Amino acid sequence: MWDSPIFSKLKNLFVDLFSLLLIGLSVGCTLGIVSNLFVKGVSFVTSIKNHLSSDLFSSSLAPIISLLIAGILIILIRKLFNIDRWHGPPDSILAAHQTNNSLDVKKGFGSTLAAFISASGGASVGQYGPLVHFGATVATFLENFTSKRLPPGIFIGCGVAAAISAGFNAPIAGLVFAHEAILRHFSLRAGGAIAISSITASTVGTGVFNETLGLKIISNAPSLTEITPIVLICSPAFGLLAILFMFSIRLGTKTAKFTGLTPSFQIILAALICGSIGIFVPQILGLGTNEMNNIFADQYELLFLLIILLGKILMTSLCIGFGFFGGIFAPALYVGAAGGGLLAKVILFFGFSVSLPALALAGTAAVGAVAIGAPIATTLIILEFTGSYEFAVAAMIAVQVSNFIAHRLYGD
């Protein structure tokens, strides 16, 4: 009986099912806590930095000093971890499609630490890209203690899904993002573990930290008949804005190489330039969460929206191109929100009626989806973030039109 094929299959089924459950729970719990600690840590360091700037030195010099300190620390991290280049989501995607996981755990942790310092110092970088790769790195570290019977990429998928789920409190989007952007296919065998990991990360994050997302929408969604025509008309502009954003990121990297400066001098130069501009427009530095909330709440005038839109693109290009490490998803969301708010202001200026929060959210989703190549997951983030069917449909329209334009004019 115990040697029968049926019993052997049931035994293997139970072992695999238990393994998938254990993987999902362990990775989800770990990333649910760590991802929120990353976000809360950046906010905590930023608050301390703001407090010290008013007590120890002139607050007008605070952006320069904080960025210089961050730049020096990043230079030390590069030497300490022997990092010749920063490791991020592209490395996670590559590792997920290899039989033998190729992620460098040490350099992955070092890159995440550099991203934390960059964001805390006020560099115009994002947090979600580093969190995605950190999730994959943590999952890879845990994979070393397990058997190799499980399908390749399952640990990375769990880590990535958990990071997105915890960061946005969006477990469905986390599940879809892992398949859409990292695995690049929908895996039936790995889907259960990835779903458990994503749900666990969101549950643990909200349970321990009460609130996992700094973005807030306080306005009610307009009807689809009101917002759909406007979004359709404005979506091509969002596609062009996404192309401008991505082109500027690559231009920043090319410019840094053209200078001929060493990486250490490049990051110091970026700190001086960004800090100097940040003295006059501090809203374009850092993660930009509060500024996005102000855009959604219609707190900025038309001219200022134009300034922070162009300024954010410039600062992100400069910071990432010249050595500060971080993601591009959060800056892309910021750029999209500012672009949507700006278009709404222009439409209102000419006497037409439009919901500014809806158009800003549509721009947020459109530019963000094009930048990271995950249109479905980005739409689901808006749906879970707002809890609004109308906002999600508006985002879906903008995302699809923008992706079509960006694909034809720029590429994937």
Side-chain angles (χ1 to χ4, degrees):
M1 173 183 175
W2 303 111
D3 296 331
S4 65
I6 296 178
F7 178 78
S8 178
K9 288 184 179 180
L10 290 175
K11 178 184 176 181
N12 291 335
L13 173 64
F14 176 79
V15 171
D16 288 345
L17 183 62
F18 180 77
S19 299
L20 294 177
L21 180 63
L22 184 61
I23 292 169
L25 289 174
S26 59
V27 175
C29 287
T30 303
L31 268 298
I33 294 174
V34 173
S35 295
N36 280 278
L37 286 176
F38 185 101
V39 177
K40 300 293 183 182
V42 171
S43 299
F44 178 73
V45 173
T46 301
S47 63
I48 292 180
K49 179 184 65 177
N50 293 337
H51 177 72
L52 292 176
S53 67
S54 61
D55 293 342
L56 300 180
F57 48 83
S58 173
S59 58
S60 62
L61 297 178
I64 297 177
I65 295 175
S66 62
L67 282 169
L68 281 174
I69 294 174
I72 293 172
L73 290 176
I74 290 173
I75 293 172
L76 294 176
I77 288 174
R78 291 190 70 131
K79 294 181 179 179
L80 180 63
F81 288 87
N82 193 27
I83 297 176
D84 54 346
R85 65 171 181 84
W86 301 118
H87 289 233
D91 298 281
S92 303
I93 296 173
L94 176 62
H97 292 82
Q98 294 178 328
T99 304
N100 295 323
N101 195 329
S102 61
L103 283 184
D104 190 316
V105 174
K106 179 182 177 181
K107 292 183 179 180
F109 283 124
S111 297
T112 305
L113 180 58
F116 177 84
I117 294 173
S118 296
S120 300
S124 180
V125 297
Q127 61 190 0
Y128 300 111
L131 283 177
V132 162
H133 185 65
F134 182 69
T137 302
V138 170
T140 298
F141 177 76
L142 295 176
E143 186 178 9
N144 295 327
F145 301 97
T146 63
S147 65
K148 304 300 181 182
R149 290 182 52 191
L150 299 171
I154 184 173
F155 276 89
I156 292 178
C158 287
V160 168
I164 290 295
S165 175
F168 287 99
N169 191 22
I172 300 176
L175 167 66
V176 174
F177 180 86
H179 287 91
E180 183 181 25
I182 304 299
L183 299 181
R184 299 300 176 100
H185 68 279
F186 285 87
S187 171
L188 294 177
R189 188 179 178 189
I194 295 175
I196 293 170
S197 178
S198 186
I199 295 169
T200 302
S202 177
T203 303
V204 170
T206 53
V208 175
F209 298 93
N210 297 323
E211 184 180 25
T212 62
L213 184 63
L215 296 178
K216 298 179 178 65
I217 290 290
I218 59 176
S219 301
N220 294 325
S223 64
L224 288 179
T225 55
E226 177 185 347
I227 190 61
T228 299
I230 298 295
V231 173
L232 279 172
I233 294 172
C234 295
S235 291
F238 294 143
L240 296 176
L241 182 60
I243 292 174
L244 174 63
F245 175 74
M246 294 187 295
F247 175 80
S248 69
I249 297 295
R250 293 190 172 185
L251 181 61
T253 303
K254 293 180 180 179
T255 303
K257 292 180 180 179
F258 180 77
T259 61
L261 298 174
T262 64
S264 298
F265 280 105
Q266 287 178 9
I267 197 169
I268 295 300
L269 178 61
L272 291 173
I273 296 175
C274 293
S276 299
I277 297 176
I279 292 175
F280 303 98
V281 193
Q283 292 84 0
I284 60 177
L285 298 181
L287 298 176
T289 303
N290 293 331
E291 287 71 24
M292 288 182 65
N293 287 333
N294 290 336
I295 293 172
F296 296 144
D298 194 8
Q299 298 294 313
Y300 296 144
E301 297 300 325
L302 190 151
L303 179 59
F304 189 72
L305 282 171
L306 178 61
I307 292 173
I308 63 175
L309 169 63
L310 298 178
K312 191 66 175 180
I313 294 175
L314 175 62
M315 289 300 98
T316 305
S317 173
L318 187 61
C319 286
I320 292 180
F322 279 71
F324 284 103
F325 180 62
I328 64 168
F329 190 35
L333 297 178
Y334 184 113
V335 168
L342 178 64
L343 284 175
K345 287 287 188 180
V346 172
I347 294 172
L348 291 170
F349 177 79
F350 285 101
F352 297 97
S353 176
V354 65
S355 169
L356 187 146
L359 201 55
L361 271 174
T364 299
V367 179
V370 172
I372 65 170
I376 301 175
T378 306
T379 302
L380 288 173
I381 287 175
I382 299 298
L383 176 61
E384 293 188 88
F385 158 47
T386 63
S388 167
Y389 174 79
E390 291 78 11
F391 279 142
V393 171
M396 181 176 64
I397 295 171
V399 164
Q400 296 304 325
V401 175
S402 299
N403 267 277
F404 177 81
I405 291 175
H407 174 75
R408 288 297 184 90
L409 299 181
Y410 189 81
D412 290 333

